[in-house]
Amino acid sequence: MTAVSGNQKRKMKSASRLYAVQALFQMEQSDSGLDRVRREFLEHRFGAEIDEGTEMIDGDVDFFARLLEQAVSWQAKIDQMTDRALVAKWPIARIDPTLRALFRAAGAELLQFDTPPKVVIVEFMDVASAFFPDGKEARFVNAVLDHMAREAKPEAF
């Protein structure tokens, strides 16, 4: 077994965040349960070849599974935090389902992991950029997650 470098571990965690957002989106859209979607991602997405010669990066399996579980377990609290961070006219139910999944994954990491809030914000801004390459969503994600992070971990600011 080969050792995984620190840089590779970071890439695997970043990939796991992206996969978690996709999985949460899929759970909401298909009304599928956590176990089914987690299994599908672990068996068919992690390291899968998407185009000839283009392989998806392996994620950190444990990090991915824990992030998904915590996002589901803490969804009501995370959604409330997100609602407070959004403008009153835009409750979480009205925002793009991909962004809703992203806020749930990021909220879980803010509430249940030791990751510094600034790292969570930057990582999920990158995820937003992957889904929305135009850029305005990443700025929106930055603002909402900054508000959520200050609520979840005020001591970090």
Side-chain angles (χ1 to χ4, degrees):
M1 186 168 161
T2 59
V4 178
S5 70
N7 192 40
Q8 186 64 19
K9 283 181 185 176
R10 280 190 298 282
K11 286 180 181 178
M12 289 172 73
K13 274 190 165 179
S14 294
S16 295
R17 289 178 179 101
L18 180 80
Y19 292 144
V21 171
Q22 291 174 322
L24 289 166
F25 174 88
Q26 182 174 325
M27 286 171 62
E28 181 179 325
Q29 296 301 306
S30 67
D31 208 22
S32 296
L34 171 67
D35 292 334
R36 180 174 169 215
V37 172
R38 177 181 43 216
R39 188 173 47 256
E40 178 186 323
F41 270 75
L42 294 176
E43 292 174 3
H44 302 291
R45 305 272 178 106
F46 277 46
E49 191 172 304
I50 47 176
D51 291 321
E52 196 169 320
T54 304
E55 216 176 88
M56 292 181 71
I57 191 167
D58 268 333
D60 178 322
V61 172
D62 294 333
F63 184 78
F64 167 78
R66 188 166 166 237
L67 195 56
L68 263 187
E69 289 161 9
Q70 296 303 316
V72 170
S73 295
W74 291 89
Q75 181 176 322
K77 180 178 174 94
I78 294 165
D79 285 356
Q80 290 168 357
M81 286 173 53
T82 306
D83 270 338
R84 286 190 290 273
L86 294 168
V87 180
K89 293 178 185 169
W90 288 100
I92 192 166
R94 286 188 64 192
I95 65 170
D96 182 275
T98 303
L99 290 175
R100 201 165 36 246
L102 183 148
F103 292 138
R104 289 173 177 156
E109 191 166 356
L110 287 168
L111 288 170
Q112 298 298 311
F113 292 72
D114 292 331
T115 312
K118 290 183 189 326
V119 172
V120 174
I121 292 168
V122 168
E123 286 286 330
F124 281 97
M125 282 178 61
D126 288 348
V127 170
S129 294
F131 287 113
F132 305 100
D134 294 341
K136 63 181 186 276
E137 286 85 355
R139 291 191 299 277
F140 175 65
V141 165
N142 181 34
V144 172
L145 290 183
D146 183 68
H147 190 281
M148 291 173 67
R150 289 174 191 278
E151 180 179 334
K153 294 188 176 171
E155 71 282 357
F157 291 89

